[in-house]
Amino acid sequence: MDKPLKLAIAGLGTVGVGVTKIIQNHADLIATRAGRPITITAVNARNRDKDRGVDVSAYQWVDDTAAFADMDDVDVVVELIGGSDGTAYDLAKKALGKGKHFVTANKALLAHHGHELAALAEDNKVNLAYEAAVAGGIPIIKAMREGFAGNAIDAVYGILNGTCNYILTEMRETGRDFKDVLKDAQELGYAEADPTFDVDGVDAGHKICLLTALAFGTKPDFTSLEMTGIRHINATDIAFASELGYRIKLLGIARRMNGKIMQIIEPCLVPKNSTLGTVEGVYNAVHVEGDYVATGHLVGLGAGEGPTASAVMSDIIDIARGYETPAFGIPAKDLQAPKWVNIGETVNCYYIRLNVLDEPGVLAEVSAILRDNKVSIEAFLQRGHDPGQPVPLIMTTHESKHKNITKACAQMENIKSVLEKPCLIPIENIK
Ligand code: HSE
């Protein structure tokens, strides 16, 4: 058997501990599959004394992760610290620059600096690998880079954030509102104390940037991404969506349209029996449309110790096998600057919820605004009758231009009996 592949692990949180456990518990299995043993040389974390439920005493403890890049007995630096800049970014540049392979679960780092780091890896003839950065246990990076490599990709989209999917599922199953369910999710450990990255779509945003790059051969570009999270979705939306035959899902969407690319994060109504409509709870799912494969649909756990560590290990085993591949599927120098679709010009059917005072004439005013903005109503629903009191007014539209419907919503907000900002959700009639 060949000489061992030696790792340095930066970060012993949930994922770092998971990786250490797999290496310890599956040493023989991995050595057989990889053709050589995989061992840990050194580790680093913020707190040396913490009991992590795994024995790391046999590994060299390094206080400054930068030292990993200079260690002769380290082939691969495994970065499990997180953050788009600071320590993780510095470590990536130093390790790749010194000819170490770099394996990371850090989607923010790659969404912001992916092109630069991919080029650095190629210049130094090492791998930059990040299977764990998108959808945890779903091998979507490998699928995009290898499995679907013979296809021109038309679209890749899916449920990329388990926290949001859990919250939306709980809201539907219990009828409770966002804030209430978020609090529970935090207590159960499904949501962070600061939930911003998850519920405002940033985490999913980082992931779709990487999928876009893989699908279309473009430089990852987070700065021009439009993101809408799920804070404005309430129990009424979930219930009406169900009644109309839909589920509400936070989707990351990357689609090729007339030579340009649409890249967006937004909650959408999807048919309840569609592939994405049936994915519930903390599960993630990614849907890929290619010209020959037609569609591929992958579902799995997107977070947590086991699934994420499993993904990190797949990258490490690839490196042990001597497998070389450009980070984004094509040489970094060939990645193009993306040409983005103007979202305002895109066309969709929409769901609109207005919270209005139940009084004569409101509907007439609302429909006049929609007419003036060339938005055609497909259906509207109002349950109950409570004169002078707030009631939800639900509408679905025929295909409308995004810029027209957003203008209409802004105008409707100014109607005296419309009590809050309209809730606008696109309808994605996927299979
Ligand atoms: N917080 C993410 C999620 C997992 O809820 O899916 C890590 O990206």
Side-chain angles (χ1 to χ4, degrees), residues 4 27 36 87 97 127 134 181 228 289 291 327 338 357 389:
R36 58 199 282 205
T87 308
N127 287 14
V134 182
V181 175
T228 307
E289 293 176 7
D291 55 354
L357 285 180
Q389 294 304 306

Side-chain angles (χ1 to χ4, degrees), residues 52-114:
R52 298 180 164 83
V54 67
D55 185 4
V56 294
S57 60
Y59 316 133
Q60 193 177 329
W61 188 274
V62 171
D63 286 320
D64 179 6
T65 52
F68 289 155
D70 293 315
M71 292 172 74
D72 290 335
D73 52 355
V74 168
D75 305 305
V76 184
V77 173
V78 183
E79 183 271 307
L80 303 170
I81 303 169
S84 61
D85 290 278
T87 308
Y89 180 43
D90 294 342
L91 178 60
K93 284 188 294 187
K94 187 155 188 223
L96 291 167
K98 294 275 176 128
K100 309 290 186 200
H101 300 284
F102 194 77
V103 174
T104 181
N106 190 336
K107 62 226 73 168
L109 173 71
L110 295 178
H112 286 272
H113 305 293

Side-chain angles (χ1 to χ4, degrees), residues 147-362:
F148 299 123
N151 291 263
I153 302 295
D154 298 315
V156 53
Y157 52 90
I159 297 166
L160 302 175
N161 185 273
T163 305
C164 288
N165 208 41
Y166 170 82
I167 291 173
L168 293 169
T169 303
E170 275 294 297
M171 286 173 71
R172 183 179 61 77
E173 287 178 350
T174 64
R176 289 183 302 154
D177 248 320
F178 171 79
K179 277 191 186 148
D180 204 15
V181 175
L182 172 63
K183 197 162 155 280
D184 273 11
Q186 286 169 320
E187 279 163 16
L188 288 166
Y190 291 146
E192 304 284 339
D194 176 0
T196 309
F197 263 38
D198 287 322
V199 302
D200 292 334
V202 180
D203 173 79
H206 290 144
K207 294 168 183 168
I208 199 68
C209 287
L210 306 184
L211 295 180
T212 303
L214 284 162
F216 305 119
T218 50
K219 297 175 189 175
D221 180 4
F222 182 73
T223 49
S224 38
L225 176 66
E226 293 199 21
M227 292 175 291
T228 307
I230 62 165
R231 288 183 200 261
H232 60 296
I233 309 286
N234 68 21
T236 305
D237 300 316
I238 305 264
F240 274 107
S242 255
E243 192 174 329
L244 293 164
Y246 293 97
R247 297 282 181 256
I248 300 180
K249 300 288 174 191
L250 181 70
L251 297 189
I253 303 172
R255 194 185 296 282
R256 188 199 297 276
M257 296 168 83
N258 303 324
K260 294 188 176 174
I261 299 165
M262 183 182 99
Q263 178 183 260
I264 196 163
I265 301 292
E266 60 186 351
C268 297
L269 267 68
V270 298
K272 63 167 84 161
N273 296 323
S274 62
T275 45
L276 294 178
T278 54
V279 174
E280 301 280 41
V282 292
Y283 277 83
N284 283 197
V286 190
H287 203 87
V288 183
E289 293 176 7
D291 55 354
Y292 285 89
V293 71
T295 60
H297 182 67
L298 292 87
V299 183
L301 288 170
E305 179 183 306
T308 314
S310 160
V312 171
M313 282 312 301
S314 76
D315 284 338
I316 295 171
I317 292 169
D318 274 350
I319 292 168
R321 287 169 168 157
Y323 184 76
E324 285 171 28
T325 180
F328 295 102
I330 62 172
K333 67 174 173 37
D334 294 334
L335 291 168
Q336 302 294 309
K339 290 190 185 76
W340 298 123
V341 161
N342 176 354
I343 301 284
E345 295 297 327
T346 57
V347 169
N348 240 322
C349 298
Y350 287 90
Y351 160 102
I352 307 171
R353 171 181 46 84
L354 298 172
N355 192 20
V356 301
L357 285 180
D358 192 3
E359 54 193 17
V362 183

